[in-house]
Amino acid sequence: MRLRIDGRDVSLDLSAGSTFGAVLAEAGRKVASEGRVVSRIVADGREISTRFEREMADRPVAGIDGIEISTTTPDALFREALDGAVDLSLAIRRDVVTILSSLRAGDLAAAGPRYATCIESLGTFFQLAGAVFNAIGTGVFPLAVRPGSARELPSPPSATAGILQRLLRTQKENDWNAVADILEREILPNIDGWSVFFKALNEIGAE
């Protein structure tokens, strides 16, 4: 197997039966020792998502021809995550407002397809939001208050996972009036709260 990091061939001290997960873990430690973070993984020409990475973790690397890893700085990754989160929150908000309009009008046929897509986007958004917040808490993304600024980091919205679970449970019960209520009274305020939180992070700045 050939391993390349940022276009350079890299040799790792791994056993003959090493797994894909072991290779990524060792590569991650090497990248971290240089003050960088992994931003993209490609195995045999296929980009590996976080979910697929977990699924491949126990796969022997003997069956993989090549792994390409791209890295970036924590600051650049942080900015990319923030920008992506803000853009996604605005897109979700627009979808929720449109879905609400259809549900309140009793037009389930119009609301259904967009609602299904919105649920997937909400799951992605809440995972991203949680990851960003946890990375700040653990120091992966250290924040630096700009000179002369007295601003402090605000608290992110709470009960995010619980809201999504209630929404899915209500959907399974086919209670679309209750779904609309949760979207309007809980999802929208929660999304707006996360959007304010991410915008505050942008204003505070990152090292």
Side-chain angles (χ1 to χ4, degrees), residues 24-47:
L24 293 189
E26 185 63 25
R29 284 189 285 270
K30 179 175 180 58
V31 167
S33 70
E34 298 172 355
R36 298 180 69 82
V37 292
V38 174
S39 60
R40 186 168 182 259
I41 302 169
V42 176
D44 288 346
R46 178 179 182 178
E47 185 165 359

Short mmCIF file of all heavy atoms in Angstrom, two decimals, residues 24-47:
data_model
loop_
_atom_site.label_atom_id
_atom_site.label_comp_id
_atom_site.label_asym_id
_atom_site.label_seq_id
_atom_site.Cartn_x
_atom_site.Cartn_y
_atom_site.Cartn_z
N LEU A 24 -4.78 5.19 9.48
CA LEU A 24 -5.26 6.57 9.63
C LEU A 24 -4.89 7.14 10.99
O LEU A 24 -4.55 8.32 11.11
CB LEU A 24 -6.76 6.63 9.42
CG LEU A 24 -7.29 6.33 8.02
CD1 LEU A 24 -8.77 6.65 7.94
CD2 LEU A 24 -6.53 7.10 6.96
N ALA A 25 -4.96 6.30 12.03
CA ALA A 25 -4.61 6.76 13.36
C ALA A 25 -3.14 7.16 13.43
O ALA A 25 -2.78 8.21 13.98
CB ALA A 25 -4.92 5.68 14.40
N GLU A 26 -2.27 6.32 12.85
CA GLU A 26 -0.85 6.62 12.87
C GLU A 26 -0.53 7.84 12.01
O GLU A 26 0.27 8.70 12.39
CB GLU A 26 -0.06 5.40 12.37
CG GLU A 26 1.46 5.56 12.45
CD GLU A 26 1.96 5.73 13.87
OE1 GLU A 26 1.27 5.26 14.79
OE2 GLU A 26 3.04 6.34 14.04
N ALA A 27 -1.19 7.91 10.84
CA ALA A 27 -0.99 9.08 9.98
C ALA A 27 -1.47 10.35 10.67
O ALA A 27 -0.85 11.41 10.57
CB ALA A 27 -1.73 8.89 8.66
N GLY A 28 -2.59 10.24 11.40
CA GLY A 28 -3.12 11.38 12.13
C GLY A 28 -2.17 11.88 13.19
O GLY A 28 -2.00 13.09 13.39
N ARG A 29 -1.50 10.95 13.87
CA ARG A 29 -0.52 11.35 14.89
C ARG A 29 0.67 12.05 14.25
O ARG A 29 1.19 13.03 14.79
CB ARG A 29 -0.06 10.12 15.68
CG ARG A 29 -1.08 9.63 16.70
CD ARG A 29 -0.51 8.56 17.60
NE ARG A 29 -0.37 7.29 16.92
CZ ARG A 29 -1.32 6.36 16.90
NH1 ARG A 29 -2.48 6.59 17.49
NH2 ARG A 29 -1.14 5.21 16.28
N LYS A 30 1.08 11.55 13.09
CA LYS A 30 2.20 12.18 12.40
C LYS A 30 1.83 13.59 11.95
O LYS A 30 2.61 14.53 12.10
CB LYS A 30 2.60 11.34 11.18
CG LYS A 30 3.76 11.93 10.37
CD LYS A 30 4.18 10.99 9.25
CE LYS A 30 5.33 11.59 8.44
NZ LYS A 30 6.50 11.88 9.29
N VAL A 31 0.63 13.73 11.42
CA VAL A 31 0.16 15.04 10.97
C VAL A 31 0.07 16.00 12.16
O VAL A 31 0.49 17.16 12.09
CB VAL A 31 -1.21 14.89 10.28
CG1 VAL A 31 -1.88 16.26 10.08
CG2 VAL A 31 -1.05 14.19 8.93
N ALA A 32 -0.48 15.51 13.28
CA ALA A 32 -0.63 16.35 14.47
C ALA A 32 0.71 16.80 15.03
O ALA A 32 0.84 17.91 15.54
CB ALA A 32 -1.42 15.58 15.54
N SER A 33 1.73 15.94 14.91
CA SER A 33 3.05 16.30 15.42
C SER A 33 3.66 17.47 14.66
O SER A 33 4.58 18.14 15.14
CB SER A 33 4.00 15.09 15.33
OG SER A 33 4.33 14.79 13.98
N GLU A 34 3.11 17.73 13.47
CA GLU A 34 3.58 18.84 12.65
C GLU A 34 2.65 20.05 12.75
O GLU A 34 2.75 21.00 11.98
CB GLU A 34 3.70 18.39 11.19
CG GLU A 34 4.71 17.26 10.99
CD GLU A 34 4.70 16.69 9.59
OE1 GLU A 34 3.84 17.12 8.78
OE2 GLU A 34 5.54 15.82 9.30
N GLY A 35 1.72 19.99 13.71
CA GLY A 35 0.83 21.10 13.94
C GLY A 35 -0.28 21.27 12.91
O GLY A 35 -0.84 22.35 12.75
N ARG A 36 -0.62 20.17 12.23
CA ARG A 36 -1.65 20.23 11.21
C ARG A 36 -2.75 19.21 11.51
O ARG A 36 -2.63 18.41 12.44
CB ARG A 36 -1.03 19.98 9.82
CG ARG A 36 -0.01 21.04 9.42
CD ARG A 36 0.58 20.78 8.06
NE ARG A 36 -0.40 20.96 6.98
CZ ARG A 36 -0.69 22.15 6.45
NH1 ARG A 36 -0.14 23.26 6.91
NH2 ARG A 36 -1.56 22.24 5.46
N VAL A 37 -3.82 19.26 10.74
CA VAL A 37 -4.93 18.33 10.93
C VAL A 37 -5.32 17.75 9.57
O VAL A 37 -5.10 18.37 8.53
CB VAL A 37 -6.16 19.02 11.56
CG1 VAL A 37 -5.88 19.41 12.99
CG2 VAL A 37 -6.59 20.23 10.75
N VAL A 38 -5.91 16.56 9.60
CA VAL A 38 -6.35 15.90 8.37
C VAL A 38 -7.63 16.58 7.87
O VAL A 38 -8.58 16.78 8.63
CB VAL A 38 -6.62 14.41 8.61
CG1 VAL A 38 -7.21 13.76 7.36
CG2 VAL A 38 -5.32 13.70 9.00
N SER A 39 -7.65 16.94 6.59
CA SER A 39 -8.83 17.58 6.01
C SER A 39 -9.53 16.71 4.98
O SER A 39 -10.72 16.89 4.71
CB SER A 39 -8.45 18.91 5.37
OG SER A 39 -7.50 18.72 4.32
N ARG A 40 -8.79 15.77 4.37
CA ARG A 40 -9.39 14.95 3.31
C ARG A 40 -8.64 13.63 3.21
O ARG A 40 -7.42 13.60 3.32
CB ARG A 40 -9.32 15.71 1.98
CG ARG A 40 -10.04 15.04 0.80
CD ARG A 40 -10.15 16.03 -0.36
NE ARG A 40 -10.86 15.48 -1.50
CZ ARG A 40 -10.27 15.01 -2.59
NH1 ARG A 40 -8.95 15.05 -2.70
NH2 ARG A 40 -10.99 14.53 -3.59
N ILE A 41 -9.41 12.56 2.99
CA ILE A 41 -8.83 11.22 2.84
C ILE A 41 -9.39 10.60 1.57
O ILE A 41 -10.60 10.58 1.36
CB ILE A 41 -9.15 10.32 4.05
CG1 ILE A 41 -8.65 10.95 5.35
CG2 ILE A 41 -8.56 8.93 3.85
CD1 ILE A 41 -9.18 10.25 6.59
N VAL A 42 -8.50 10.09 0.73
CA VAL A 42 -8.91 9.40 -0.50
C VAL A 42 -8.24 8.03 -0.51
O VAL A 42 -7.02 7.93 -0.38
CB VAL A 42 -8.51 10.19 -1.76
CG1 VAL A 42 -8.86 9.41 -3.02
CG2 VAL A 42 -9.20 11.56 -1.78
N ALA A 43 -9.04 6.98 -0.64
CA ALA A 43 -8.51 5.62 -0.71
C ALA A 43 -8.86 5.02 -2.06
O ALA A 43 -10.05 4.93 -2.41
CB ALA A 43 -9.09 4.77 0.42
N ASP A 44 -7.85 4.63 -2.82
CA ASP A 44 -8.04 4.06 -4.16
C ASP A 44 -8.96 4.94 -5.02
O ASP A 44 -9.87 4.46 -5.71
CB ASP A 44 -8.62 2.64 -4.06
CG ASP A 44 -7.59 1.64 -3.56
OD1 ASP A 44 -6.39 1.99 -3.55
OD2 ASP A 44 -7.98 0.53 -3.17
N GLY A 45 -8.73 6.24 -4.93
CA GLY A 45 -9.47 7.19 -5.76
C GLY A 45 -10.83 7.58 -5.23
O GLY A 45 -11.51 8.40 -5.85
N ARG A 46 -11.25 7.05 -4.09
CA ARG A 46 -12.55 7.35 -3.53
C ARG A 46 -12.40 8.18 -2.27
O ARG A 46 -11.69 7.80 -1.34
CB ARG A 46 -13.30 6.06 -3.20
CG ARG A 46 -14.66 6.30 -2.55
CD ARG A 46 -15.38 4.99 -2.27
NE ARG A 46 -16.70 5.23 -1.68
CZ ARG A 46 -17.55 4.25 -1.37
NH1 ARG A 46 -17.23 2.98 -1.62
NH2 ARG A 46 -18.73 4.54 -0.85
N GLU A 47 -13.07 9.33 -2.25
CA GLU A 47 -13.02 10.17 -1.05
C GLU A 47 -13.77 9.48 0.08
O GLU A 47 -14.87 8.97 -0.11
CB GLU A 47 -13.61 11.55 -1.32
CG GLU A 47 -13.46 12.49 -0.13
CD GLU A 47 -13.70 13.95 -0.47
OE1 GLU A 47 -13.97 14.24 -1.67
OE2 GLU A 47 -13.61 14.79 0.43
#
